[in-house]
Amino acid sequence: MRGDGPDEPTWDAPGVAEWLDGDWPSLPVAPAVSALVDLVERHHTAGSILEVGCGTGRVYEALIRRVSLHGFPYVGVDTSRAMLARGRARYSGVDLRVGDARGLTFARRGFGSAVCVDLLHHLPDIDRPIAELLRVATDHAFLMLWLAKAGAPPAPIEPRLVTAPDHGVRAGFYEIPRSDEEVIAACERGGGRVLDLHVLEGDRHNVGLFRVGAR
Ligand SMILES: C[S@@+](CC[C@H](N)C(=O)[O-])C[C@H]1O[C@@H](n2cnc3c(N)ncnc32)[C@H](O)[C@@H]1O
């Protein structure tokens, strides 16, 4: 990215929230998100649900479509004020706050489950955020992130310039598909244990759905 754009990921850069928000509200929930929510629905039994990197509410929307999850309080956190503003406009009264996966301000075991969708492959380090998710969860962390396809070269650990001219977007994002072994090891280091792993095949990368027991 050096000399070619921002040095740090810029989720609040002009147009990014509008671009990522896109037309998902008018579409059926993406199959991968739906499959992760299946796991949450099957295994979340008690306490509040925390979502880290909640964006504009796509996962919240998928969670509340499940009648069995209606009774559980939800809190969403995200570093981007632009994302949160769009989420708050769409879901008034929902608890959406500024918060950073790398240092959550919540008490240990303050939630039943912690959910994190499409964030970890955008961070250069997954150990700290995974440990934080497991620290605040009593029972499970549910993770959805990109996994590298077999034989793929290692992704560079620096932000990649992404442009979307229609939305005026020119911003840098880390895009780092991990191996399932890396994620399993990070969960172990964070004090958890992977209990379920589903891999959905994709063109550029696969998508991993992890249910992690918080020990
Ligand atoms: C690709 S979006 C996914 C949003 C949402 N989970 C979804 O699936 O629609 C990644 C989100 O993570 C947020 N984010 C980036 N770094 C973060 C961090 N360190 N802590 C919390 N959120 C972060 C971004 O602002 C953005 O909203």
Side-chain angles (χ1 to χ4, degrees):
M1 177 75 46
R2 280 162 201 81
D4 194 22
D7 287 328
E8 283 300 317
T10 48
W11 294 95
D12 268 327
V16 170
E18 294 77 3
W19 172 52
L20 290 185
D21 214 25
D23 52 5
W24 74 253
S26 64
L27 300 172
V29 172
V33 174
S34 190
L36 189 81
V37 173
D38 286 347
L39 276 180
V40 179
E41 190 175 30
R42 204 169 310 135
H43 296 284
H44 178 82
T45 54
S48 304
I49 298 175
L50 173 69
E51 187 192 353
V52 177
C54 60
T56 61
R58 180 175 67 136
V59 177
Y60 172 73
E61 171 84 30
L63 290 166
I64 59 163
R65 287 186 187 196
R66 306 299 175 95
V67 173
S68 62
L69 294 175
H70 279 181
F72 299 107
Y74 166 96
V75 178
V77 300
D78 200 288
T79 45
S80 162
R81 291 172 194 279
M83 298 285 182
L84 290 168
R86 290 182 76 88
R88 287 180 188 130
R90 187 174 291 131
Y91 306 106
S92 67
V94 176
D95 192 346
L96 301 175
R97 313 181 190 179
V98 174
D100 192 322
R102 297 164 295 187
L104 296 170
T105 55
F106 302 107
R108 180 175 154 78
R109 300 191 170 203
F111 296 86
S113 297
V115 177
C116 187
V117 172
D118 270 357
L119 167 58
L120 292 169
H121 52 266
H122 292 305
L123 296 176
D125 166 61
I126 58 171
D127 273 39
R128 183 73 197 268
I130 287 178
E132 281 291 89
L133 289 159
L134 291 166
R135 179 181 67 77
V136 301
T138 304
D139 293 323
H140 294 105
F142 297 93
L143 316 177
M144 177 175 137
L145 69 151
W146 294 358
L147 295 181
K149 295 188 84 68
I157 311 285
E158 62 179 35
R160 187 173 82 80
L161 179 67
V162 174
T163 59
D166 288 354
H167 295 269
V169 170
R170 181 183 166 81
F173 302 101
Y174 292 98
E175 291 188 341
I176 311 167
R178 265 55 188 224
S179 66
D180 51 0
E181 291 89 351
E182 277 178 273
V183 180
I184 290 167
C187 292
E188 294 278 337
R189 285 191 293 272
R193 190 160 66 91
V194 172
L195 302 172
D196 278 319
L197 166 57
H198 303 286
V199 180
L200 309 178
E201 293 282 329
D203 294 336
R204 282 174 55 215
H205 53 75
N206 296 333
V207 173
L209 311 177
F210 295 79
R211 176 171 69 102
V212 189
R215 289 187 295 206

